[in-house]
Amino acid sequence: MTYEFDKDFWERHWREGRAGSPGSMGGNPPNPYLASETSGLTPGTALDAGCGEGAEAIWLASRGWHVTAADISSEALARAAERAATSGASERLQWVEADLRVWSPSARFDLVMTHYAHPAMPQLEFYDRIAGWVAPGGTLLIVGHLHTPGSGHGHHPPAEASATSAAITARMDGTEWEIVTAEERLRTLTGQGGRAVPLHDVVVRATRRRFPLPS
């Protein structure tokens, strides 16, 4: 089955409701990798590319970051704004309805992050695109799905929505980027009915060098 991750897909996805799904969707807490990978960073400006219902963006804003959160789904953004209204950090959040295939920010950010976002373009090309929005000295954080046998059903992503850490980092110029984290991790969440749901994740964090190394 081929997935078309266009606006219609994502509006339908959020309208149908995924509050019971594992991960960062619905009313779930932010992705745990966000805290572990950004705890040492000084709050500044951040972009959440494909923010969904905003769990990660709100978490960052509550810790002093000024966050631009972009998503193609108006349904997801409406839920995110509603959720943010009770967070005490809404003044540090800007919600942007945008197709990330063509939208570009007006400035670079100290942190650009994405958690399980799947636009209607090849996954690795999407990561290349958002990497260009990181300011010198800034951080890129990618949390994605790792395709495993049997993927594409239930909570498992299809192959076209997945990437390996090696595939992601291979596209990053070592003279421009310092790779800090490049791992594939397994975590288990509790799904509907108390069922254990394994999530196979890819986590890549890289710092854009302030001064590129000689090639």
Side-chain angles (χ1 to χ4, degrees):
M1 178 178 180
T2 300
Y3 288 72
E4 296 290 341
F5 295 114
D6 56 10
K7 182 174 177 62
D8 288 344
F9 174 94
W10 288 113
E11 294 291 12
R12 184 172 62 253
H13 170 91
W14 291 110
R15 279 198 305 269
E16 290 173 352
R18 301 300 293 269
S21 298
S24 61
M25 294 180 175
N28 288 292
N31 194 293
Y33 305 129
L34 177 60
S36 62
E37 295 295 334
T38 65
S39 60
L41 301 180
T42 300
T45 60
L47 172 70
D48 188 357
C51 64
E53 289 188 330
E56 286 76 27
I58 294 168
W59 186 92
L60 272 186
S62 70
R63 284 153 180 80
W65 290 82
H66 291 267
V67 185
T68 300
D71 201 278
I72 198 171
S73 170
S74 59
E75 179 75 21
L77 290 171
R79 297 187 190 185
E82 182 178 358
R83 186 175 182 179
T86 62
S87 70
S90 58
E91 72 278 2
R92 290 190 291 275
L93 285 156
Q94 178 184 8
W95 306 104
V96 178
E97 184 177 338
D99 183 342
L100 295 174
R101 296 174 302 169
V102 296
W103 177 82
S104 294
S106 59
R108 290 183 174 184
F109 298 86
D110 300 313
L111 170 65
V112 173
M113 63 178 184
T114 186
H115 294 79
Y116 307 128
H118 309 306
M121 66 185 296
Q123 198 69 30
L124 290 174
E125 291 181 16
F126 169 60
Y127 295 149
D128 292 343
R129 180 168 171 75
I130 67 172
W133 302 338
V134 179
T139 296
L140 173 68
L141 175 61
I142 294 170
V143 178
H145 291 296
L146 178 66
H147 182 69
T148 56
S151 293
H153 302 281
H155 297 306
H156 298 285
E160 60 266 32
S162 307
T164 65
S165 58
I168 296 170
T169 57
R171 300 167 73 94
M172 305 183 78
D173 185 347
T175 65
E176 186 175 0
W177 292 95
E178 177 186 359
I179 307 300
V180 181
T181 302
E183 298 178 359
E184 293 168 3
R185 302 175 182 173
L186 172 65
R187 61 190 177 108
T188 302
L189 298 182
T190 301
Q192 294 180 344
R195 180 171 58 92
V197 179
L199 291 182
H200 298 266
D201 295 325
V202 173
V203 182
V204 172
R205 175 164 61 104
T207 302
R208 183 186 291 279
R209 301 182 192 277
R210 293 187 181 275
F211 304 101
L213 299 176
S215 57

